[in-house]
Amino acid sequence: MHGENGMPAANGLGWTFDTVASAYEKFRPGYVDELYRTLFRYVPIDETSNVAEIGIGGGQATLPVLRTGCRLTAVEYGAHFCELCREKFRDYPNFSVVMGKFEDVALKSHAFDLIYSASAFHWVPEEIGYPKVFSLLKNGGVFARFANHPDRGKANPALSREIDAIYAEYYYKYYDKKPEKQKAYSEEQARRRAAVAEKYGFTDIRYALFFRTRTFSAREYVRLLGTYSDHIAMEEKQRMAFFSRMEEAIDRHGGKIVLFDTIDLELARKSG
């Protein structure tokens, strides 16, 4: 489904995020405090810890981890994001960025206490990503993945139906795909996502869900959509008409759109 989890890795749209690094930094949300409390209860992190982040993007999930005092190595494919984060976290001497795809970069095996990825691991092919994470972790080390899933239908169903029609006319027609009905992210989806790690030798599998709401003006929401890889990749004239219709629809329905976010966290441990 279109949204903050983008599209599968196979269609190669990961590059598009980097073209809108500053907007991504402004409009993509961070993650709730309770998520980090849950993560750090599962794997205590301090200044002795060695951590890697896969797909740092604009650094939305980075500061709470850096504040533990750990050594944090970020892996990021986009040059603009690399520069943005080097500047953003310049006051943290234990922070560094390696530019490249996680599949390709060389990192030290059996070296990390925690490897995590926020709304990015879906870009990495499962059969490459999980074994590589496993090989990089110390025995007892932890892999955490989390992502945000916005639901726009709950607050204003009439607006959501109109947005669905706009998606059908522009987005789905452009990609020659059958329109999908938007559904809220479920606990069962989180459970299935968490269970994937078991196939690759991980144990102590856990998951948790967290919730929040966000409100956008019509213009802000269109700018948020402009950070989605599959939206950016549309032909410009089609994309601009799509966004214009979206903005008009929101303005007709009171000028605001409310998103109900579900954030899933999956945790797994390398036994040893």
Side-chain angles (χ1 to χ4, degrees), residues 13 197-198 258:
L13 295 179
E198 210 164 2
V258 180

Side-chain angles (χ1 to χ4, degrees), residues 17-18 21 24-25 28-31 36 51-66 72-89 95-102 116-121 123 146:
F17 286 124
D18 197 49
Y24 189 102
E25 157 78 355
R28 287 299 188 103
Y31 299 88
Y36 295 102
V51 177
E53 180 177 359
I54 301 169
I56 191 172
Q60 283 81 0
T62 307
L63 196 56
V65 181
L66 272 177
L72 177 56
T73 304
V75 178
E76 173 53 50
Y77 185 49
H80 292 130
F81 278 137
C82 288
E83 287 309 310
L84 185 154
C85 288
R86 287 187 184 112
E87 175 62 23
K88 185 175 180 176
F89 303 120
F95 174 76
S96 61
V97 182
V98 178
M99 186 176 150
K101 290 186 177 182
F102 177 67
Y116 74 101
S117 187
S119 297
F121 202 66
W123 293 113
F146 44 101

Side-chain angles (χ1 to χ4, degrees), residues 42 134 137-142 201-204 268-272:
Y42 183 85
F134 194 90
L137 286 170
K138 299 174 183 176
N139 289 336
V142 166
F202 289 90
T203 61
D204 194 15
R269 196 178 306 275
K270 179 178 178 178
S271 293

Side-chain angles (χ1 to χ4, degrees), residues 156 158-159 162-163 166 218 243-256:
N156 190 333
L159 171 59
E162 192 163 337
I163 289 174
I166 294 168
F243 285 179
S244 178
R245 285 281 305 281
M246 190 76 70
E247 197 167 340
E248 289 166 7
I250 295 167
D251 279 334
R252 277 200 316 277
H253 286 265
K256 297 284 184 185

Side-chain angles (χ1 to χ4, degrees), residues 147-161:
N148 188 56
H149 309 274
D151 177 4
R152 57 173 159 75
K154 194 172 174 182
N156 190 333
L159 171 59
S160 191
R161 285 192 296 271

Side-chain angles (χ1 to χ4, degrees), residues 166-212:
I166 294 168
Y167 265 99
E169 184 178 347
Y170 290 93
Y171 174 94
Y172 287 109
K173 191 173 287 185
Y174 180 82
Y175 283 110
D176 194 24
K177 291 174 63 182
K178 185 180 176 183
E180 299 174 16
K181 185 171 176 57
Q182 192 192 53
K183 296 177 184 175
Y185 191 82
S186 70
E187 184 171 345
E188 175 59 21
Q189 285 173 285
R191 188 196 65 76
R192 287 200 305 267
R193 180 174 281 183
V196 172
E198 210 164 2
K199 294 195 292 184
Y200 298 95
F202 289 90
T203 61
D204 194 15
I205 310 294
R206 301 186 200 178
Y207 67 89
L209 297 178
F210 309 91
F211 305 94
R212 68 167 170 218

Side-chain angles (χ1 to χ4, degrees), residues 7-40:
M7 295 173 72
N11 60 26
L13 295 179
W15 63 270
T16 56
F17 286 124
D18 197 49
T19 65
V20 290
S22 60
Y24 189 102
E25 157 78 355
K26 181 175 181 181
F27 287 100
R28 287 299 188 103
Y31 299 88
V32 295
D33 292 343
E34 182 58 27
L35 182 149
Y36 295 102
R37 287 194 288 270
T38 303
L39 172 61
F40 296 142

